[in-house]
């Protein structure tokens, strides 16, 4: 079946877009579900980076590495919130590509505005509840009056390791929640792309195959970058006790990856180029 990508608004491709219509709100080419999810991903990436980098830069400027316990919990809450949202929105975007390629004739019916809003809202609720649970679990622990974290932000695993009380339940919730959230997201992405590959393979025209695959290339790049850096953070913290190595991989995860996401999409998509 040939691939077709539909927008929420019908436009005439013969009419060129003027400079006045180049904005996102006025440019109907950017009103498709894909760009709606991309704008949410960009917003989440900005918030994700903002939870750690401003505080780190302030510490460097003031030569102070102190953060109150309440501030640490707040920073940890928002870090978990936006990290989970990144994973869930990438899953939603994979589903969007699945519908666009496997069910092109029903794309506008399935991926309507209200359904897209519902998908984003559910992602926010799931991530917020997960982050709230993890933060409340940390509050039940006992800590020494003064703690030193071998990191540039308040990371959940570091906080649990520094607790002076029993952390079995915290570790159980942390690993179960991480596996459930990341596993569900990754399973959804893999399932979507398995169906996409089957649909692309059934297309007889090589140009149609290329066009269908090219719409997924940016998303595949972002997904690979996100999960590879996430795996790198986990392996570096588990395999080595060097704080320098863990911090380096965390900077890649919290700074470099969110910064590269919009560039990956803009370089491969003519609608986002200047």
């Amino acid at each position: 079946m040939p691939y077709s990508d539909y927008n929420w608004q019908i436009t005439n491709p013969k009419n060129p877009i003027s400079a006045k219509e180049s904005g996102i709100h006025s440019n109907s080419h950017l009103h498709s579900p894909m760009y709606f999810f991309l704008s949410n991903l960009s917003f989440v990436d900005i918030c994700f980076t903002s939870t750690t980098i401003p505080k780190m830069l302030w510490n460097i400027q003031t030569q102070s590495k102190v953060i109150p316990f309440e501030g640490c919990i707040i920073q940890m809450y928002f870090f978990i919130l936006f990290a989970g949202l990144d994973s869930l929105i990438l899953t939603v975007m994979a589903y969007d590509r699945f519908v666009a390629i496997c069910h092109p004739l029903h794309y506008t019916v399935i991926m309507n505005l209200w359904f897209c809003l519902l998908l984003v809202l559910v992602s926010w609720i799931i991530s917020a509840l997960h982050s709230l649970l993890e933060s409340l679990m940390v509050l039940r622990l006992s800590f020494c009056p003064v703690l030193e974290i071998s990191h540039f932000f308040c990371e959940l695993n570091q906080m649990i390791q520094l607790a002076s009380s029993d952390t079995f339940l915290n570790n159980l919730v942390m690993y179960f929640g991480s596996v459930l959230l990341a596993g569900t997201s990754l399973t959804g992405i893999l399932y979507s792309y398995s169906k996409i590959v089957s649909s692309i393979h059934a297309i007889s025209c090589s140009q149609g195959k290329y066009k269908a695959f090219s719409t997924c290339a940016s998303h595949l790049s972002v997904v690979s970058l996100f999960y590879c850096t996430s795996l790198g953070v986990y392996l570096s913290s588990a395999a080595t006790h060097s704080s320098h190595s863990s911090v380096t991989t965390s900077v890649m995860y919290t700074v470099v990856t969110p910064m590269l996401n919009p560039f990956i999409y803009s370089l491969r998509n003519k609608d986002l180029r200047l």
Side-chain angles (χ1 to χ4, degrees):
M1 181 178 292
Y3 166 76
S4 176
D5 194 3
Y6 294 93
N7 291 339
W8 281 328
Q9 294 186 6
I10 300 174
T11 60
N12 186 357
K14 296 182 180 179
N15 295 333
I17 300 174
S18 63
K20 293 181 179 180
E21 296 176 335
S22 59
I24 292 178
H25 293 289
S26 58
N27 187 352
S28 57
H29 287 274
L30 302 181
H31 291 175
S32 67
M34 181 181 69
Y35 293 116
F36 171 72
F37 295 133
L38 180 58
S39 64
N40 279 273
L41 180 66
S42 300
F43 173 74
V44 170
D45 284 338
I46 293 172
C47 294
F48 181 57
T49 305
S50 299
T51 59
T52 57
I53 302 306
K55 177 60 179 174
M56 181 186 70
L57 295 177
W58 175 258
N59 290 343
I60 295 174
Q61 176 67 25
T62 60
Q63 296 296 315
S64 174
K65 299 181 180 180
V66 178
I67 183 172
F69 181 75
E70 295 79 6
C72 193
I73 295 296
I74 293 173
Q75 185 185 62
M76 184 182 65
Y77 170 82
F78 283 107
F79 182 85
I80 299 172
L81 169 67
F82 294 119
L85 271 172
D86 250 337
S87 179
L88 291 171
I89 291 179
L90 287 175
T91 307
V92 170
M93 295 175 75
Y95 177 74
D96 171 70
R97 294 298 86 202
F98 158 72
V99 176
I101 295 176
C102 300
H103 306 284
L105 299 179
H106 303 284
Y107 182 68
T108 51
V109 177
I110 298 174
M111 301 303 295
N112 59 77
L113 176 59
W114 292 111
F115 183 64
C116 292
L117 289 172
L118 179 63
L119 289 175
V120 173
L121 178 61
V122 170
S123 299
W124 274 90
I125 292 174
I126 292 175
S127 187
L129 291 177
H130 171 244
S131 181
L132 181 62
L133 175 63
E134 297 286 9
S135 301
L136 292 176
M137 291 296 295
V138 173
L139 287 175
R140 60 178 289 273
L141 298 175
S142 299
F143 295 93
C144 296
V146 180
L147 298 173
E148 183 176 345
I149 302 175
S150 302
H151 225 301
F152 67 94
F153 69 96
C154 296
E155 197 258 339
L156 176 61
N157 189 41
Q158 289 275 339
M159 292 291 293
I160 294 176
Q161 290 178 1
L162 292 173
S164 56
S165 55
D166 182 56
T167 59
F168 173 77
L169 187 59
N170 289 77
N171 285 315
L172 183 65
V173 171
M174 179 180 65
Y175 287 115
F176 179 77
S178 300
V179 169
L180 184 63
L181 188 62
T184 302
S185 299
L186 191 57
T187 301
I189 292 173
L190 293 176
Y191 175 79
S192 296
Y193 274 102
S194 66
K195 295 296 184 181
I196 290 173
V197 170
S198 299
S199 297
I200 293 177
H201 183 71
I203 300 175
S204 57
C205 176
S206 59
Q207 186 178 2
K209 289 183 178 180
Y210 174 77
K211 183 180 179 182
F213 179 77
S214 63
T215 62
C216 304
S218 299
H219 181 258
L220 274 174
S221 301
V222 171
V223 168
S224 301
L225 184 64
F226 177 80
Y227 281 100
C228 286
T229 52
S230 300
L231 184 62
V233 170
Y234 174 76
L235 292 178
S236 65
S237 61
T240 179
H241 296 287
S242 173
S243 60
H244 178 74
S245 176
S246 179
V247 168
T248 302
T249 53
S250 295
V251 169
M252 284 288 297
Y253 177 66
T254 58
V255 182
V256 179
T257 300
M259 182 183 66
L260 288 178
N261 287 348
F263 285 103
I264 292 173
Y265 271 95
S266 61
L267 288 174
R268 295 196 60 88
N269 198 309
K270 61 182 180 180
D271 290 333
L272 293 179
R273 293 174 187 168
L274 296 176

